[in-house]
Amino acid sequence: MNKLIVVWVDIMLAKVRKSGYILRGYVSFITPELRSRRKFYRLIWERFLKNRLFCADLFEVAYIGEPIYYLVNNSVLMNKGKLVPILVYFVGAFSLTFAFSQLPKWTIGTLDCTDILCGWGPLFSGLACYQFFKVPNQYAISLKGAKPYLTWGIVGLALLLPFLTINTISKTTILSSVVSQFVYSFGEEFGWRHYLQNATAGLNAWGRYLLIGSLWFLWHYSFTKDPVQAMTGQSIPALIGIPLSVGGLSVFSFIWGDLVIKTRSILLPTVAHYLPKAGGTVSLSVVVALLVLIQVGWKRLTSTEPTPLL
């Protein structure tokens, strides 16, 4: 049985600590790779101290047989404590959306309320799991985010642009489309980008977003028999369409997840999700360009903002 060196590290950022938010975790390293204590502490320096992270209470180095450990070379392995909240969330989101999709068609004017409820399955499941599993909001995600004026400005622009750029349908139809798609997208994004982003905090980056993308794709089966055709508008063979769809949703999960982590706003990925459905080409191009500029230039906008470790 391979033994592991396990160090308990109380890790926090100075500014994060000011708000009373502390990140904790195990840092584990396999001894054959790090038999030398000099190499071990050098790696601690390179991974944490050198990156301007404040490490306090560096406890003893202990040799144990099979520890449950979280951080291995800055990556978190899946364990029972993380897996259960993720699976329960997915089952809840799938079940709720399936139940809502079976309801009789409910409309208010031209507003499809049944469709909106289907999108809110992930939201209701996420809220329930937050309460039951006490999953911390590690990224301090909220509606307004770190820069409220920026968030509300982009949201307002995204809601207004369809009325200014679409002339082929009535304003009443545009209003119904904007409201239904924005509210629907908010429900989805809260589940996948708010709850699941926090529930998977610390997992290996690409593995994490592949997991979110895969669950996101499977969730679509709760209300449609062919998610690939529903998302792409094309009839593609399953052997090709499913990997492409999972890969695409994983990439979107990475991009929008990074946007949420940087801006701390759930409304910005909601805007990115809603516009392709209701915004038109011009609206989509303008707002996506703004979101890309925000994502690329976020460090300049918030030079003093702390970046969460996990």
Side-chain angles (χ1 to χ4, degrees), residues 93-106 112-121 184 219-225:
F94 189 98
S95 302
L96 287 169
T97 298
F98 176 78
F100 292 145
S101 69
Q102 303 304 305
L103 294 174
K105 197 75 170 177
W106 173 34
D112 189 343
C113 298
T114 306
D115 187 54
I116 291 174
L117 282 175
C118 288
W120 277 46
Y184 172 95
W219 169 78
H220 284 81
Y221 279 104
S222 63
F223 61 92
T224 179
K225 292 181 180 179

Side-chain angles (χ1 to χ4, degrees), residues 126-139:
L127 287 174
C129 288
Y130 265 132
Q131 293 299 314
F132 186 79
F133 294 109
K134 306 300 179 186
V135 174
N137 184 7
Q138 301 207 37
Y139 297 108

Side-chain angles (χ1 to χ4, degrees), residues 51-182:
N51 291 327
R52 298 183 182 177
L53 295 176
F54 175 70
C55 299
D57 304 324
L58 191 59
F59 282 60
E60 60 182 318
V61 177
Y63 289 85
I64 59 177
E66 283 186 77
I68 297 176
Y69 55 99
Y70 295 90
L71 293 170
V72 179
N73 290 338
N74 252 0
S75 300
V76 177
L77 300 183
M78 185 69 72
N79 57 73
K80 187 176 180 181
K82 276 193 168 292
L83 185 61
V84 171
I86 293 170
L87 291 180
V88 170
Y89 159 76
F90 174 73
V91 171
F94 189 98
S95 302
L96 287 169
T97 298
F98 176 78
F100 292 145
S101 69
Q102 303 304 305
L103 294 174
K105 197 75 170 177
W106 173 34
T107 59
I108 300 176
T110 56
L111 197 64
D112 189 343
C113 298
T114 306
D115 187 54
I116 291 174
L117 282 175
C118 288
W120 277 46
L123 182 145
F124 291 136
S125 182
L127 287 174
C129 288
Y130 265 132
Q131 293 299 314
F132 186 79
F133 294 109
K134 306 300 179 186
V135 174
N137 184 7
Q138 301 207 37
Y139 297 108
I141 303 169
S142 63
L143 289 177
K144 62 183 181 179
K147 294 288 181 181
Y149 67 89
L150 204 57
T151 300
W152 297 121
I154 289 178
V155 169
L157 181 64
L159 294 175
L160 181 62
L161 276 175
F163 294 94
L164 301 177
T165 59
I166 300 176
N167 301 312
T168 55
I169 55 178
S170 69
K171 300 302 181 185
T172 302
T173 304
I174 294 174
L175 178 62
S176 296
S177 177
V178 166
V179 172
S180 62
Q181 292 302 332
F182 187 85

Side-chain angles (χ1 to χ4, degrees), residues 197-217:
Q197 189 89 354
N198 280 306
T200 57
L203 290 176
N204 173 275
W206 280 109
R208 169 195 198 176
Y209 292 115
L210 180 60
L211 173 64
I212 295 175
S214 300
L215 293 179
W216 192 9
F217 173 78

Side-chain angles (χ1 to χ4, degrees), residues 139-142 145-146 259-266 305-306 308:
Y139 297 108
I141 303 169
S142 63
L259 183 65
V260 167
I261 290 173
K262 285 179 177 176
T263 65
R264 300 182 187 173
S265 171
I266 194 62
E305 288 289 335

Side-chain angles (χ1 to χ4, degrees), residues 41 65 191 211 221 232 235 238 243 251 277 296:
Y41 285 109
L211 173 64
Y221 279 104
T232 63
S235 182
V251 171
K277 300 178 180 180
V296 172

